[in-house]
């Protein structure tokens, strides 16, 4: 049933935020020289840079640009802010195109002063507004369900079932989902919903890290793979059985690891990837 | 659709842990003199006391003892620990009987070294083991789904759907569920599952507090009602429409409020109860 261990790094992608202390040029150099094949670029890493040339720099390092993180954050009680969010998502689509990636991860957003139902409605409207732009640019939008502990301010889409529902309603080859083990590992419907996403051909991205016990910060205390209780190989097996064969993206927000020597951390990521994913 | 505001305190119950700095005698005195009608007793509040006499003391203050918190914590990789947990749940049933309450809230437990599926199986086995004792003592066991952020160590039952499934399988008038807004407010299936529990006659308890933005601690940063984004009146309306008319229990774990003057905090609880629940 389970997938076999990954013995090479052909499918290993790292998110720039995972090694936040490095700028994107340093990250590219170190990832590349250590055999990492993919990079997912967080938009903050592009600040002050020519995006086209940055994409070229990454490709010159032999890196595939797996996705751009992140669009989304559609809901707001204020119409003007919703319009700004839509404009910003259009900008993200342009950035992804210039950078040379064809996926944008969507953290859909939530406004605690709205009901979850209203936030969800605005998320639907927001994605529907920018989807034609994404289609025209050849960019796929990956709706990432976020852990229910982020339902107040980060995303009103908290289960893979909800993300699948939304992708099905949007009904476009450019609308799909991102499966991040941190957000979905607890879900009793996970297997069923991964199968459903696979059947739709809509698993656009697969993110890994681990859930530590105890977790001391709601946002920035993710664990390195193997450090926690997430059944990583089992979930990888589920997405692969459902047809996903793309990059496996390491996305770790950690106040602890960001203080470490990032070169040592990178070695630990590579070891953990082979041992636990 | 919505329930009307609560103008009196006939249904207000407070959990001893909400005012943790008070011992149970102080809590009883202050709750009672301020018109609170119900108390839910956390087992630590009974340490070193004669349970029967403590029950009498609470009733002499005019308080109804709504429930005992908490049983559960069934799963463990080790057989000996599972046996200890079952013994401890039998002890909780005896304590509830002596105290004079007919509900025990179950925080079902989870062992991060087990799969969630195995933890769930052991939870089922554990409850099934002690259910005959509960039935004999006239005690009802309220399975409380816990927020998915507690799936690692506190409960592998993370949605009301799972709690309902379990209660239905156990198939006893003494097995039901507890609906705590903090744990379930985010759930897209909440309305459906509250209706289902109501139809089964199995909503044994209803707990309130609020979800603050930001929440800075995974365990002890609950908000006072009105301080956060949980649609309290809407959820009360759902449980009441589903047939629940019992006590509304204020259960707030808060490092912040535990440092406050508890008499002032109690006044704030009463105001918030009338204004927001």
């Amino acid at each position: 049933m389970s997938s076999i261990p990954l013995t090479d790094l052909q499918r290993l992608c790292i998110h720039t935020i995972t090694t936040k202390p490095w700028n994107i040029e340093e990250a590219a150099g170190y990832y590349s020289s250590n055999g990492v094949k993919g990079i997912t670029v967080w938009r903050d890493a592009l600040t002050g840079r020519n995006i086209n040339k940055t994409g070229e720099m990454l490709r010159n390092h032999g890196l595939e640009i797996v996705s751009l993180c992140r669009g989304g954050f559609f809901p707001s009680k204020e119409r003007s802010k919703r319009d700004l969010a839509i404009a910003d998502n259009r900008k993200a689509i342009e950035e992804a195109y210039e950078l040379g990636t064809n996926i944008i991860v969507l953290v859909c957003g939530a406004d605690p002063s709205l009901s979850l139902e209203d936030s969800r409605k605005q998320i639907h409207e927001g994605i529907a507004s920018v989807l034609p732009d994404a289609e025209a640019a050849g960019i796929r939008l990956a709706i990432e369900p976020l852990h229910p502990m982020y339902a107040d301010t980060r995303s009103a889409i908290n289960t893979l079932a909800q993300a699948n529902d939304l992708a099905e309603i949007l009904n476009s080859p450019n609308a799909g989902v991102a499966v991040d083990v941190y957000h979905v590992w607890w879900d009793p419907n996970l297997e069923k919903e991964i199968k459903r996403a696979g059947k739709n051909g809509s698993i656009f991205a697969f993110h890994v890290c681990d859930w530590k016990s105890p977790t001391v910060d709601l946002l920035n205390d993710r664990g390195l793979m193997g450090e926690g209780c997430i059944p990583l190989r089992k979930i990888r097996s589920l997405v692969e059985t459902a047809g996903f064969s793309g990059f496996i993206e390491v996305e770790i927000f950690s106040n602890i690891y960001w203080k470490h020597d990032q070169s040592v951390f990178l070695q630990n990521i590579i070891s953990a990837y082979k041992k636990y994913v």
Side-chain angles (χ1 to χ4, degrees), chain A:
Chain A
M1 281 293 288
S2 274
S3 297
I4 56 170
L6 298 149
T7 51
D8 64 45
L9 307 184
Q10 292 303 312
R11 293 174 63 201
L12 174 57
C13 165
I14 300 178
H15 282 226
T16 55
I17 199 164
T18 299
T19 56
K20 192 166 78 165
W22 282 339
N23 62 34
I24 194 166
E25 292 79 14
E26 291 169 321
Y30 287 113
Y31 294 0
S32 173
S33 62
N34 284 280
V36 177
K37 296 295 177 190
I39 186 167
T40 278
V41 176
W42 277 58
R43 292 171 76 190
D44 65 283
L46 296 172
T47 308
R49 287 168 175 79
N50 177 298
I51 294 176
N52 207 293
K53 284 190 178 150
T54 305
E56 211 170 283
M57 178 276 292
L58 296 173
R59 279 183 293 278
N60 289 341
H61 273 99
L63 293 167
E64 183 166 332
I65 308 168
V66 177
S67 62
L68 182 69
C69 262
R70 55 197 188 185
F73 288 99
F74 294 105
S76 172
K77 202 156 195 168
E78 296 170 41
R79 173 85 244 178
S80 61
K81 286 192 183 169
R82 297 203 296 280
D83 290 342
L84 278 176
I86 286 171
D88 185 61
N89 277 273
R90 291 212 167 95
K91 189 159 169 278
I93 291 167
E94 283 172 28
E95 289 173 12
Y97 184 82
E98 285 178 47
L99 190 64
T101 178
N102 65 1
I103 296 177
I104 294 175
V105 177
L106 297 185
V107 172
C108 294
D111 181 337
S113 69
L114 291 175
S115 71
L116 286 168
E117 292 74 19
D118 283 346
S119 281
R120 288 167 191 153
K121 207 177 143 208
Q122 294 182 2
I123 289 166
H124 178 194
E125 289 167 357
I127 301 178
S129 298
V130 301
L131 188 54
D133 304 75
E135 287 167 341
I139 306 291
R140 297 185 293 164
L141 304 177
I143 300 162
E144 183 174 36
L146 253 58
H147 194 285
M149 71 183 171
Y150 304 122
D152 57 340
T153 56
R154 284 191 176 79
S155 184
I157 303 297
N158 304 106
T159 62
L160 188 52
Q162 290 178 291
N164 280 336
D165 286 347
L166 194 47
E168 286 179 5
I169 291 167
L170 290 162
N171 190 25
S172 159
N174 292 62
V177 302
V179 176
D180 181 320
V181 298
Y182 195 74
H183 297 303
V184 301
W185 73 276
W186 60 272
D187 187 348
N189 296 317
L190 185 59
E191 183 166 350
K192 181 176 117 187
E193 294 297 331
I194 286 176
K195 280 183 186 164
R196 176 181 165 202
K199 214 168 165 184
N200 291 343
S202 66
I203 304 176
F204 290 175
F206 179 51
H207 298 176
V208 297
C209 66
D210 216 333
W211 183 284
K212 297 194 301 175
S213 303
T215 291
V216 300
D217 185 278
L218 277 88
L219 194 59
N220 296 323
D221 193 29
R222 296 189 180 199
L224 182 65
M225 298 81 76
E227 245 190 329
C229 59
I230 299 179
L232 290 161
R233 192 154 298 157
K234 183 186 166 193
I235 300 178
R236 175 164 72 89
S237 174
L238 291 175
V239 297
E240 290 178 354
T241 303
F244 179 79
S245 58
F247 275 94
I248 295 162
E249 308 179 39
V250 177
E251 185 189 36
I252 301 172
F253 315 147
S254 166
N255 292 326
I256 295 168
Y257 287 121
W258 288 332
K259 282 184 196 137
H260 281 204
D261 178 317
Q262 297 298 291
S263 297
V264 175
F265 181 37
L266 179 57
Q267 292 309 319
N268 293 338
I269 289 171
I270 292 170
S271 308
Y273 174 81
K274 291 180 176 172
K275 194 163 178 187
Y276 298 107
V277 180

